[in-house]
Amino acid sequence: MGFFTLRHKKLAKKYSLSELKDGYRYSENELKEAAENGDIKAFKRAMKVHGNFEYAMLYKNTPEYNKRRK
């Protein structure tokens, strides 16, 4: 599957689903703070982190991940 990058795959392998969810929630809070402050650089940085956690969680649900895990 060419949709997921190596970074997403490594995050999925390294962290459990609950740890990924915690990181996702933390990055969501960072996004809210950056939006409230109007800091575009912080917002972009938080958005990258947020997206990486989101795609890592999605990758954990793919057949490719489950096949490699065995």
Side-chain angles (χ1 to χ4, degrees), residues 1-2 7 16 22 25-26 28 30 34 38 50 52-53 68:
M1 209 177 232
R7 173 175 279 145
S16 68
D22 288 342
R25 281 189 222 108
Y26 177 78
E28 200 167 61
E30 292 293 317
H50 188 72
N52 286 336
F53 278 113
R68 289 180 183 223

Side-chain angles (χ1 to χ4, degrees), residues 5 7 9 21 29 36 44-47 52-53 64:
T5 65
R7 173 175 279 145
K9 293 177 182 182
K21 285 181 182 179
N29 290 335
E36 288 173 359
K44 287 182 179 182
R45 191 171 40 248
M47 194 63 200
N52 286 336
F53 278 113
E64 178 185 352

Side-chain angles (χ1 to χ4, degrees), residues 3-70:
F3 184 74
F4 299 102
T5 65
L6 186 59
R7 173 175 279 145
H8 303 144
K9 293 177 182 182
K10 283 184 177 181
L11 275 172
K13 185 178 178 184
K14 187 174 180 180
Y15 297 106
S16 68
L17 188 58
S18 63
E19 290 172 321
L20 290 172
K21 285 181 182 179
D22 288 342
Y24 182 81
R25 281 189 222 108
Y26 177 78
S27 66
E28 200 167 61
N29 290 335
E30 292 293 317
L31 278 172
K32 288 178 186 175
E33 286 180 21
E36 288 173 359
N37 295 334
D39 188 357
I40 296 199
K41 286 184 181 180
F43 186 80
K44 287 182 179 182
R45 191 171 40 248
M47 194 63 200
K48 285 182 183 180
V49 173
H50 188 72
N52 286 336
F53 278 113
E54 184 174 18
Y55 284 124
M57 286 189 297
L58 288 171
Y59 180 68
K60 274 195 175 269
N61 293 325
T62 62
E64 178 185 352
Y65 175 79
N66 291 325
K67 184 172 35 171
R68 289 180 183 223
R69 202 177 80 194
K70 291 180 182 179

